[in-house]
């Protein structure tokens, strides 16, 4: 519902802040803040923290960049050093995304059968613009055995508590 409430017709990507050590596992975006106050002071008063609900006009989206690529090209103004805006895995996209994906499929030929959503999002951004929305939530990944184990343990615990 966080994305639905913010959707105004331009494609919308859910994002969260992630430390530099995790960017090789995720898509990373950068851009210009649309929100008036995307950052706030933490309750301890020591750090600037990203506000849930803040919105960004995406300038670049890059799938699993190297740390060097992120440092050189993906920093977003106002973010703490070593922190990046990463894709959360939820999207609200206009129908045009299907045209873009269809065009990509046509270019792949028979040698490949893998569509890349990030490339399609970048093309959509280039054509119509693309925004990002900072969401409040916990991310669950299935990108490696450790992540699968942690996700399974979390949900096992939740099920056990509700029984």
């Amino acid at each position: 519902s966080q994305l639905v409430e913010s959707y105004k017709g331009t494609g919308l990507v859910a994002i969260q802040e992630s430390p530099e050590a995790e960017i090789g596992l995720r898509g990373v975006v950068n851009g210009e803040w649309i929100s008036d106050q995307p950052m706030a002071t933490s309750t301890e008063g020591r750090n600037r923290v990203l506000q849930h609900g803040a919105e960004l006009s995406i300038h670049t989206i890059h799938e699993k960049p190297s740390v060097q690529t992120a440092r050189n090209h993906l920093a977003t103004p106002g973010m703490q050093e070593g922190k990046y805006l990463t894709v959360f895995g939820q999207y609200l996209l206009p129908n045009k995304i299907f045209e873009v994906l269809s065009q990509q499929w046509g270019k792949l030929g028979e040698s490949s059968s893998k569509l890349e959503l990030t490339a399609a999002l970048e093309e959509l951004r280039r054509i119509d613009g693309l925004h990002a929305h900072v969401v409040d939530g916990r991310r669950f990944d299935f990108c490696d055995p450790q992540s699968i184990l942690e996700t399974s343990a979390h949900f096992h615990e939740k099920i056990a508590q509700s029984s």
Side-chain angles (χ1 to χ4, degrees):
S1 77
Q2 294 173 59
L3 290 180
V4 172
E5 293 168 6
S6 296
Y7 188 70
K8 296 172 184 74
T10 300
L12 197 56
V13 177
I15 58 171
Q16 285 189 327
E17 181 179 73
S18 294
E20 190 172 76
E22 295 179 8
I23 61 172
L25 303 172
R26 310 186 190 321
V28 178
V29 303
N30 78 345
E32 182 178 334
W33 291 108
I34 300 169
S35 300
D36 291 335
Q37 303 222 342
M39 307 296 279
T41 304
S42 68
T43 53
E44 303 86 31
R46 290 189 293 260
N47 296 321
R48 306 263 301 146
V49 294
L50 194 55
Q51 294 278 83
H52 298 132
E55 294 203 9
L56 183 84
S57 175
I58 296 175
H59 292 176
T60 307
I61 184 166
H62 194 292
E63 184 66 23
K64 300 175 182 158
S66 68
V67 169
Q68 199 60 41
T69 297
R71 287 178 182 166
N72 291 337
H73 305 288
L74 297 170
T76 297
M79 297 291 295
Q80 290 180 349
E81 187 175 331
K83 299 281 186 169
Y84 295 89
L85 298 172
T86 58
V87 175
F88 187 72
Q90 295 179 341
Y91 312 86
L92 277 180
L93 302 172
N95 288 336
K96 187 168 214 134
I97 192 67
F98 296 109
E99 292 174 36
V100 172
L101 288 167
S102 180
Q103 290 168 0
Q104 284 185 349
W105 182 256
K107 292 177 186 176
L108 285 175
E110 300 204 15
S111 62
S112 176
S113 62
K114 186 175 181 184
L115 281 174
E116 294 290 339
L117 180 60
T118 302
L121 292 172
E122 179 59 25
E123 180 66 8
L124 185 64
R125 182 206 60 79
R126 189 186 66 71
I127 296 168
D128 288 337
L130 189 63
H131 292 170
H133 180 91
V134 179
V135 293
D136 180 18
R138 181 166 174 196
R139 181 185 328 220
F140 294 99
D141 283 326
F142 288 92
C143 58
D144 58 65
Q146 184 63 35
S147 297
I148 293 169
L149 182 61
E150 290 170 5
T151 300
S152 298
H154 172 82
F155 285 105
H156 175 74
E157 183 178 316
K158 291 286 183 189
I159 290 168
Q161 289 174 354
S162 66
S163 299

